Amino acid sequence: MRVHVVSDVHGNTEALARAGDGADALVVLGDLVDFVDYHDHGRGILGQVFGAEKVGVFAELRRGPTGPETGLFLRSLWGSLDDPRAVVDEAVRTQYAEMFAAMTTPTYAIPGNVDSPALWPEFAREGLHMVDGQVVDIGGLRFGFAGGALLGKGHVLRPDAPWIPYLRYEDDFAAAIDGLTDVDVFCTHIPPSVAELTYDVVARRAEVGSRALLDAIRRERPRWSVFGHVHQPMSRRVRIGRTECVNVGHFQRLGRPYALTW
Protein backbone atom coordinates (compact mmCIF):
# COMPACT_ATOMS: atom_id res chain seq x y z
CA MET A 1 0.00 0.00 0.00
CA ARG A 2 1.04 3.55 -0.68
CA VAL A 3 -0.78 6.55 0.84
CA HIS A 4 0.18 10.14 0.05
CA VAL A 5 -0.28 12.73 2.80
CA VAL A 6 -0.41 16.52 2.41
CA SER A 7 -1.10 19.42 4.75
CA ASP A 8 -1.23 23.21 4.53
CA VAL A 9 -2.34 23.32 0.91
CA HIS A 10 -3.29 27.00 1.13
CA GLY A 11 -4.72 27.26 -2.35
CA ASN A 12 -2.13 25.23 -4.31
CA THR A 13 -4.79 23.54 -6.43
CA GLU A 14 -2.46 22.65 -9.29
CA ALA A 15 -0.15 20.56 -7.07
CA LEU A 16 -3.11 19.10 -5.17
CA ALA A 17 -4.48 17.66 -8.42
CA ARG A 18 -1.23 15.64 -8.76
CA ALA A 19 -0.81 14.75 -5.09
CA GLY A 20 -2.54 11.37 -5.39
CA ASP A 21 -0.63 10.22 -8.46
CA GLY A 22 0.77 6.72 -7.92
CA ALA A 23 -0.94 6.28 -4.54
CA ASP A 24 -3.75 4.03 -3.38
CA ALA A 25 -5.25 6.91 -1.37
CA LEU A 26 -4.70 10.58 -0.58
CA VAL A 27 -4.89 12.02 2.95
CA VAL A 28 -5.35 15.77 3.35
CA LEU A 29 -4.62 17.21 6.79
CA GLY A 30 -6.22 20.59 6.36
CA ASP A 31 -5.56 24.27 5.78
CA LEU A 32 -6.96 24.27 2.28
CA VAL A 33 -7.78 27.98 2.34
CA ASP A 34 -5.22 30.53 1.20
CA PHE A 35 -6.25 33.27 3.61
CA VAL A 36 -3.02 35.22 4.14
CA ASP A 37 -0.20 34.44 1.72
CA TYR A 38 2.99 35.35 3.58
CA HIS A 39 5.16 34.69 0.50
CA ASP A 40 3.11 36.63 -2.07
CA HIS A 41 1.14 39.35 -0.29
CA GLY A 42 -1.07 39.97 -3.32
CA ARG A 43 -2.48 36.44 -3.20
CA GLY A 44 -4.79 34.87 -0.66
CA ILE A 45 -8.12 36.26 0.45
CA LEU A 46 -6.63 39.24 2.30
CA GLY A 47 -4.40 40.11 -0.65
CA GLN A 48 -7.28 39.96 -3.12
CA VAL A 49 -9.52 42.11 -0.92
CA PHE A 50 -7.10 44.64 0.58
CA GLY A 51 -4.01 44.55 -1.63
CA ALA A 52 -0.39 43.51 -1.15
CA GLU A 53 0.74 46.64 0.71
CA LYS A 54 -1.73 46.23 3.58
CA VAL A 55 -1.10 42.50 3.78
CA GLY A 56 2.60 43.28 4.02
CA VAL A 57 1.94 45.40 7.10
CA PHE A 58 -0.16 42.60 8.61
CA ALA A 59 2.52 40.00 7.85
CA GLU A 60 5.16 42.08 9.61
CA LEU A 61 2.91 42.45 12.65
CA ARG A 62 2.46 38.69 12.71
CA ARG A 63 6.20 38.05 12.70
CA GLY A 64 7.16 36.95 16.19
CA PRO A 65 4.83 37.15 19.22
CA THR A 66 1.41 38.59 18.36
CA GLY A 67 0.47 41.78 20.22
CA PRO A 68 -2.79 43.76 20.42
CA GLU A 69 -1.77 45.99 17.52
CA THR A 70 -2.20 43.01 15.15
CA GLY A 71 -5.87 42.64 16.02
CA LEU A 72 -6.46 46.38 15.87
CA PHE A 73 -4.97 46.60 12.38
CA LEU A 74 -6.99 43.64 11.13
CA ARG A 75 -10.23 45.06 12.56
CA SER A 76 -9.53 48.34 10.78
CA LEU A 77 -9.30 46.46 7.48
CA TRP A 78 -12.56 44.60 8.01
CA GLY A 79 -14.24 47.84 9.10
CA SER A 80 -13.67 49.26 5.63
CA LEU A 81 -16.07 46.70 4.10
CA ASP A 82 -19.88 46.84 4.14
CA ASP A 83 -20.32 43.07 4.69
CA PRO A 84 -16.97 41.42 5.41
CA ARG A 85 -18.50 38.02 6.34
CA ALA A 86 -20.16 37.76 2.92
CA VAL A 87 -16.89 38.68 1.19
CA VAL A 88 -14.97 35.99 3.06
CA ASP A 89 -17.62 33.29 2.60
CA GLU A 90 -17.72 33.88 -1.15
CA ALA A 91 -13.94 33.78 -1.42
CA VAL A 92 -13.69 30.57 0.66
CA ARG A 93 -16.39 28.85 -1.39
CA THR A 94 -14.59 29.78 -4.61
CA GLN A 95 -11.34 28.24 -3.35
CA TYR A 96 -13.10 25.13 -2.02
CA ALA A 97 -14.89 24.51 -5.32
CA GLU A 98 -11.51 24.29 -7.08
CA MET A 99 -9.66 22.33 -4.40
CA PHE A 100 -12.27 19.69 -3.62
CA ALA A 101 -12.72 19.11 -7.36
CA ALA A 102 -8.94 18.57 -7.66
CA MET A 103 -8.77 15.81 -5.04
CA THR A 104 -8.28 12.34 -6.45
CA THR A 105 -10.25 9.26 -5.42
CA PRO A 106 -10.19 8.12 -2.72
CA THR A 107 -9.32 11.12 -0.52
CA TYR A 108 -9.65 11.28 3.26
CA ALA A 109 -9.70 14.88 4.48
CA ILE A 110 -9.86 16.86 7.72
CA PRO A 111 -9.96 20.64 8.19
CA GLY A 112 -7.11 22.67 9.65
CA ASN A 113 -7.41 25.91 11.54
CA VAL A 114 -7.47 27.86 8.25
CA ASP A 115 -10.64 26.16 7.11
CA SER A 116 -14.41 26.51 7.39
CA PRO A 117 -15.61 22.95 8.13
CA ALA A 118 -19.26 24.08 8.20
CA LEU A 119 -19.01 24.61 4.43
CA TRP A 120 -17.45 21.22 3.64
CA PRO A 121 -20.73 19.28 3.22
CA GLU A 122 -21.52 21.51 0.22
CA PHE A 123 -18.63 19.87 -1.63
CA ALA A 124 -19.23 16.23 -0.69
CA ARG A 125 -19.01 13.71 -3.52
CA GLU A 126 -18.31 10.03 -4.07
CA GLY A 127 -14.77 9.08 -3.18
CA LEU A 128 -14.19 12.14 -1.00
CA HIS A 129 -14.36 11.20 2.68
CA MET A 130 -14.60 13.92 5.32
CA VAL A 131 -13.36 12.06 8.36
CA ASP A 132 -12.79 14.50 11.22
CA GLY A 133 -13.16 12.52 14.48
CA GLN A 134 -13.29 9.14 12.75
CA VAL A 135 -11.19 5.99 12.55
CA VAL A 136 -10.97 4.56 9.02
CA ASP A 137 -9.45 1.35 7.66
CA ILE A 138 -7.10 2.06 4.77
CA GLY A 139 -5.25 -0.94 3.39
CA GLY A 140 -5.60 -2.89 6.62
CA LEU A 141 -4.31 -0.12 8.91
CA ARG A 142 -6.49 1.97 11.20
CA PHE A 143 -6.15 5.70 10.54
CA GLY A 144 -7.49 8.04 13.25
CA PHE A 145 -8.33 11.62 12.24
CA ALA A 146 -8.72 14.83 14.30
CA GLY A 147 -8.82 18.26 12.66
CA GLY A 148 -8.44 21.86 13.72
CA ALA A 149 -5.94 23.57 15.99
CA LEU A 150 -6.00 24.56 19.65
CA LEU A 151 -7.38 27.84 20.93
CA GLY A 152 -4.70 29.52 22.99
CA LYS A 153 -5.30 30.03 26.69
CA GLY A 154 -7.20 33.23 27.39
CA HIS A 155 -8.34 33.58 23.77
CA VAL A 156 -12.01 33.71 22.82
CA LEU A 157 -13.47 33.37 19.32
CA ARG A 158 -15.72 36.27 18.33
CA PRO A 159 -18.89 34.85 16.74
CA ASP A 160 -19.42 38.08 14.80
CA ALA A 161 -15.93 38.06 13.27
CA PRO A 162 -15.69 38.09 9.45
CA TRP A 163 -13.53 34.98 9.60
CA ILE A 164 -13.74 32.29 12.28
CA PRO A 165 -10.85 29.80 12.12
CA TYR A 166 -11.34 26.20 13.19
CA LEU A 167 -9.87 26.46 16.68
CA ARG A 168 -10.87 24.07 19.44
CA TYR A 169 -10.68 24.22 23.20
CA GLU A 170 -8.10 21.84 24.61
CA ASP A 171 -10.71 19.66 26.33
CA ASP A 172 -12.69 19.31 23.10
CA PHE A 173 -9.64 18.31 21.09
CA ALA A 174 -8.48 15.91 23.81
CA ALA A 175 -11.89 14.22 23.76
CA ALA A 176 -11.61 13.79 19.98
CA ILE A 177 -8.15 12.24 20.33
CA ASP A 178 -9.31 9.93 23.14
CA GLY A 179 -12.04 8.65 20.81
CA LEU A 180 -9.43 7.38 18.35
CA THR A 181 -8.48 3.98 19.74
CA ASP A 182 -6.43 1.05 18.44
CA VAL A 183 -4.98 3.21 15.67
CA ASP A 184 -1.95 2.51 13.52
CA VAL A 185 -1.69 6.07 12.18
CA PHE A 186 -2.69 9.32 13.90
CA CYS A 187 -3.66 11.96 11.32
CA THR A 188 -4.00 15.45 12.77
CA HIS A 189 -3.49 18.98 11.59
CA ILE A 190 -1.42 19.97 14.61
CA PRO A 191 1.66 18.21 16.00
CA PRO A 192 2.03 16.61 19.40
CA SER A 193 3.40 18.89 22.08
CA VAL A 194 7.11 18.40 21.37
CA ALA A 195 9.34 21.48 21.22
CA GLU A 196 11.22 20.47 18.07
CA LEU A 197 7.95 19.90 16.22
CA THR A 198 6.08 23.02 17.36
CA TYR A 199 8.69 25.76 16.96
CA ASP A 200 8.65 27.62 13.62
CA VAL A 201 12.18 28.81 12.89
CA VAL A 202 11.09 31.43 10.34
CA ALA A 203 8.11 32.90 12.21
CA ARG A 204 10.28 32.70 15.34
CA ARG A 205 7.54 31.43 17.59
CA ALA A 206 6.17 28.18 18.96
CA GLU A 207 2.80 27.02 17.72
CA VAL A 208 0.51 25.18 20.13
CA GLY A 209 0.94 21.41 20.03
CA SER A 210 -1.35 18.87 21.63
CA ARG A 211 -0.45 17.27 24.94
CA ALA A 212 -3.41 14.89 24.50
CA LEU A 213 -1.97 13.70 21.18
CA LEU A 214 1.44 13.16 22.77
CA ASP A 215 -0.15 11.10 25.56
CA ALA A 216 -2.14 9.09 23.01
CA ILE A 217 1.00 8.34 20.98
CA ARG A 218 2.68 6.97 24.10
CA ARG A 219 -0.43 4.97 24.99
CA GLU A 220 -1.44 3.63 21.56
CA ARG A 221 2.08 3.26 20.13
CA PRO A 222 1.01 3.68 16.49
CA ARG A 223 3.35 3.25 13.55
CA TRP A 224 3.07 6.89 12.51
CA SER A 225 1.78 10.25 13.64
CA VAL A 226 1.46 12.62 10.68
CA PHE A 227 0.54 16.31 10.82
CA GLY A 228 1.34 19.77 9.44
CA HIS A 229 0.46 23.25 10.77
CA VAL A 230 4.05 24.36 11.51
CA HIS A 231 5.37 25.51 8.15
CA GLN A 232 9.09 25.65 9.00
CA PRO A 233 9.60 23.38 12.03
CA MET A 234 12.86 23.04 13.92
CA SER A 235 12.64 19.33 13.13
CA ARG A 236 10.39 17.54 10.66
CA ARG A 237 10.73 14.15 12.34
CA VAL A 238 10.88 12.96 15.93
CA ARG A 239 10.63 9.39 17.15
CA ILE A 240 8.56 8.70 20.26
CA GLY A 241 9.05 5.06 21.23
CA ARG A 242 8.12 3.05 18.14
CA THR A 243 6.15 5.93 16.59
CA GLU A 244 7.58 8.00 13.75
CA CYS A 245 6.18 11.54 14.16
CA VAL A 246 6.40 13.42 10.85
CA ASN A 247 5.52 16.92 9.72
CA VAL A 248 4.48 16.11 6.15
CA GLY A 249 5.55 19.55 4.90
CA HIS A 250 4.18 22.90 3.81
CA PHE A 251 2.43 21.67 0.68
CA GLN A 252 1.67 25.13 -0.69
CA ARG A 253 5.40 25.75 -1.07
CA LEU A 254 6.79 22.24 -1.56
CA GLY A 255 4.08 20.89 -3.85
CA ARG A 256 4.90 17.27 -3.10
CA PRO A 257 3.20 14.74 -0.79
CA TYR A 258 4.72 12.64 1.96
CA ALA A 259 4.42 8.91 1.26
CA LEU A 260 3.46 6.21 3.74
CA THR A 261 4.18 2.70 2.46
CA TRP A 262 3.59 -0.71 3.96
Side-chain angles (χ1 to χ4, degrees):
M1 286 292 295
R2 182 180 181 92
V3 170
H4 286 178
V5 188
V6 303
S7 185
D8 301 272
V9 179
H10 294 301
N12 192 346
T13 307
E14 183 179 348
L16 183 61
R18 303 189 301 267
D21 291 354
D24 298 291
L26 174 65
V27 169
V28 179
L29 301 180
D31 274 12
L32 299 180
V33 173
D34 188 14
F35 194 75
V36 184
D37 196 313
Y38 292 98
H39 298 275
D40 184 346
H41 296 161
R43 294 174 59 86
I45 292 173
L46 283 192
Q48 293 168 6
V49 175
F50 299 114
E53 183 177 349
K54 291 180 178 178
V55 173
V57 174
F58 176 74
E60 188 60 33
L61 289 170
R62 282 276 291 157
R63 192 178 298 276
T66 302
E69 63 275 6
T70 307
L72 290 171
F73 180 74
L74 191 56
R75 284 194 289 275
S76 73
L77 293 182
W78 294 127
S80 67
L81 302 178
D82 292 332
D83 191 348
R85 175 69 67 85
V87 171
V88 172
D89 281 355
E90 181 181 359
V92 171
R93 282 188 167 93
T94 299
Q95 291 190 18
Y96 276 167
E98 295 178 356
M99 283 184 285
F100 282 116
M103 293 178 189
T104 51
T105 299
T107 291
Y108 301 86
I110 56 173
N113 55 297
V114 191
D115 275 311
S116 296
L119 299 181
W120 283 33
E122 298 178 20
F123 303 94
R125 59 176 172 83
E126 186 176 356
L128 174 56
H129 308 279
M130 300 172 182
V131 289
D132 192 7
Q134 298 180 31
V135 176
V136 178
D137 185 289
I138 303 176
L141 295 186
R142 285 171 59 84
F143 284 65
F145 296 88
L150 294 180
L151 188 63
K153 290 183 179 180
H155 292 270
V156 177
L157 292 175
R158 293 174 49 232
D160 60 337
W163 163 255
I164 302 176
Y166 185 31
L167 296 175
R168 309 173 69 169
Y169 288 105
E170 193 166 358
D171 289 349
D172 174 52
F173 188 79
I177 291 295
D178 288 345
L180 308 176
T181 57
D182 299 322
V183 298
D184 301 293
V185 188
F186 273 119
C187 298
T188 56
H189 180 65
I190 61 174
S193 184
V194 176
E196 300 96 311
L197 300 174
T198 57
Y199 189 79
D200 190 309
V201 298
V202 174
R204 301 198 300 266
R205 65 170 181 270
E207 300 290 348
V208 182
S210 171
R211 180 72 195 186
L213 176 58
L214 178 60
D215 292 343
I217 289 170
R218 289 169 172 162
R219 180 179 65 248
E220 297 285 336
R221 303 177 68 243
R223 294 191 188 188
W224 293 287
S225 169
V226 289
F227 45 85
H229 188 53
V230 183
H231 291 181
Q232 296 92 194
M234 183 183 300
S235 177
R236 283 194 62 193
R237 308 168 72 99
V238 167
R239 196 162 188 87
I240 301 174
R242 72 184 294 267
T243 305
E244 190 76 9
C245 302
V246 183
N247 184 318
V248 299
H250 183 190
F251 188 74
Q252 182 201 44
R253 303 297 296 171
L254 298 176
R256 61 178 181 269
Y258 182 80
L260 298 178
T261 58
W262 67 95

